[in-house]
Amino acid sequence: MASSSFKHKYLLMFGPSNKRVEVQNNDPEGATKEELFEKAEANFPLDQQEFIMQVWDEGYGEYCDITCERVGAPVKIRIVQVFPVQISADLLNSASRLNLPERGIFLQTIYDAVVGATGSCLPTKMMYDEIINQMFTKYPSLAHPQPNMPIGNMKTLWKDRLLYKFRNNRRRSDQPMPEVQAKRKKTVTESSTGREWTLRQWGMPMYLPSRPPSEDDGTIRAHEEFLRREKKKRQPDFPHVKLAMDKTLSDRRQYLVMTQPRPSLSAVKERYPWLFDEDQLTAEMMRLQDTLIPVVRVFKEALGKYASALLTKGQGVKKPPKCFLDSLALISTHRIEKERQDATCKAAFLILPKLLREDLNHIFVAPNAVTDNPVHLKMNAEDILDSTEFILMADGEEITTSNSFFDAVALWLSSYYVFNLEYQKVTRTLCFTQRIILQIDDQLQIPKGVSTLTNSLNQINLRK
């Protein structure tokens, strides 16, 4: 008897409000482009000749045109209208900003001209700079800043647009070209210094990434100076802070990981002040993991799978921490499911060090208490459950502050990777959280205490 369930699901999105329609297909090989075109036409006011489809690419963190004949699932597909726009010199010389279709045609014209003149779809850094200089010379209006944007950032903005255009074209139509294949092979096997290196270090895909091809020593210095200036402003340019932090990741990692002796955190703070910002410390960990999902979300969801078993184990130990017993009693007082889940996860984490024969007070430190663990969370109350502020401390330096228990724990965990710090005092707790909860595989042997606890928790879960 044939199964009636569909094997493939697609989420089609269209328009500025992202109108969504889910379509299904039961072909084992996935839907064809033509089938998806028909579904899009049936659900959205479009003409087949006036739109393209793009699929979200996790590796590149952006939407890319669909070029294959069949599309696997589940995926999100964006429908983009294409208008027959002609761009005149008068438009480029006017003060009007190009809209998205006009800009697309303008960038395609530049791409065709560069490939036609040089025979290459891989411009050098100098070529990109020269292209933009010629653009601004011939069409000065393109250099005019957008609202609330510093003038100097227009060159960076156009450079990013060109980089995206050339990269997307290489992925779609220029993939067979020998220089593209050679470039891909080089980026997999070589670092920015030309030496072979292991892609995943300490379980992080981007622990020591290569410098972006668009950057050189001069542009990196400019980005770093911009970041230091913005950190001092009352209203920083956050979108461009993120962009500059992305571009300087490779040099920042080389400094933090390869410098000997390891730079002090006070020196790091002077050079890279944004790493001491709660949001940017979170974003930096996401860069190292090459993901769009913050650690705190992964931590809470994964901890939830072991929370019940941890509570069961915790209630059987001698002299459990008072904060664990108090948090355990508070779980039943929450009537909203999410709040009860959060309370369960909090209690589970509070008992974890005890189950691994380690001291919770090396992680959460009361105002007047001291610890010889260099990386810890300083509280503003004697009891963890009463604390409304957690200050992340490392090597005597205040890193950042959080008002959320779970965000603070995520920052504490992230700091070891971001600042290249050593596990101390609560090594088994850190290892359990890293390997079992966050699933960060550093290829090292799991300590016996961690594996023993994990096996015990799995047995408890199986019995439920």
Side-chain angles (χ1 to χ4, degrees), residues 275-462:
L275 290 181
F276 295 74
D277 173 84
E278 181 180 4
D279 291 337
Q280 278 304 317
L281 180 54
T282 299
E284 189 80 347
M285 185 63 171
M286 292 165 63
R287 294 184 190 100
L288 300 186
Q289 291 187 288
D290 196 21
T291 181
L292 299 175
I293 304 173
V295 169
V296 65
R297 188 192 307 175
V298 178
F299 172 73
K300 288 173 66 175
E301 290 178 358
L303 181 60
K305 298 175 183 178
Y306 288 96
S308 179
L310 284 167
L311 299 189
T312 300
K313 288 282 291 184
Q315 293 175 78
V317 301
K318 294 181 180 179
K319 296 182 180 180
K322 179 180 180 298
C323 62
F324 166 69
L325 297 176
D326 291 342
S327 63
L328 197 63
L330 287 173
I331 294 175
S332 61
T333 65
H334 295 284
R335 302 183 66 179
I336 299 175
E337 183 180 2
K338 183 182 181 304
E339 293 179 354
R340 183 168 293 197
Q341 290 174 348
D342 286 351
T344 301
C345 286
K346 179 183 286 190
F349 186 75
L350 293 178
I351 195 59
L352 181 58
K354 180 71 175 181
L355 295 174
L356 292 166
R357 299 183 180 181
E358 293 179 335
D359 190 349
L360 183 67
N361 293 320
H362 283 314
I363 303 174
F364 298 95
V365 181
N368 298 318
V370 294
T371 177
D372 51 358
N373 182 19
V375 186
H376 58 268
L377 294 166
K378 197 78 172 178
M379 303 183 296
N380 67 349
E382 293 295 326
D383 192 294
I384 295 174
L385 301 182
D386 296 330
S387 184
T388 57
E389 181 180 83
F390 300 89
I391 303 173
L392 174 60
M393 303 293 298
D395 292 347
E397 191 76 34
E398 182 176 322
I399 306 300
T400 189
T401 302
S402 178
N403 303 119
S404 160
F405 174 87
F406 289 109
D407 287 339
V409 172
L411 292 168
W412 175 68
L413 296 168
S414 300
S415 67
Y416 286 93
Y417 290 93
V418 171
F419 297 108
N420 194 38
L421 304 173
E422 298 175 353
Y423 286 179
Q424 296 186 45
K425 294 299 177 183
V426 284
T427 56
R428 290 188 291 276
T429 301
L430 284 162
C431 185
F432 181 93
T433 308
Q434 169 206 320
R435 295 294 295 273
I436 310 305
I437 302 299
L438 298 180
Q439 294 289 300
I440 299 175
D441 187 1
D442 56 13
Q443 302 297 314
L444 298 178
Q445 184 175 356
I446 298 177
K448 185 178 179 180
V450 172
S451 58
T452 300
L453 176 61
T454 304
N455 292 334
S456 178
L457 296 175
N458 288 334
Q459 289 297 320
I460 293 173
N461 282 336
L462 286 173

Side-chain angles (χ1 to χ4, degrees), residues 169-226:
N169 269 40
R170 287 196 296 269
R171 298 191 72 222
R172 290 189 293 114
S173 57
D174 300 327
Q175 201 68 270
M177 295 178 67
E179 62 179 321
V180 175
Q181 295 299 323
K183 178 69 174 177
R184 292 191 65 185
K185 184 177 180 181
K186 180 178 180 182
T187 56
V188 171
T189 60
E190 296 182 0
S191 69
S192 58
T193 60
R195 298 173 300 185
E196 292 189 2
W197 60 295
T198 304
L199 286 176
R200 299 183 70 88
Q201 300 194 42
W202 303 116
M204 295 285 107
M206 300 291 284
Y207 201 73
L208 276 174
S210 298
R211 179 186 280 181
S214 61
E215 305 305 316
D216 55 30
D217 290 347
T219 60
I220 292 296
R221 280 195 301 272
H223 291 317
E224 291 180 353
E225 290 169 2
F226 164 77

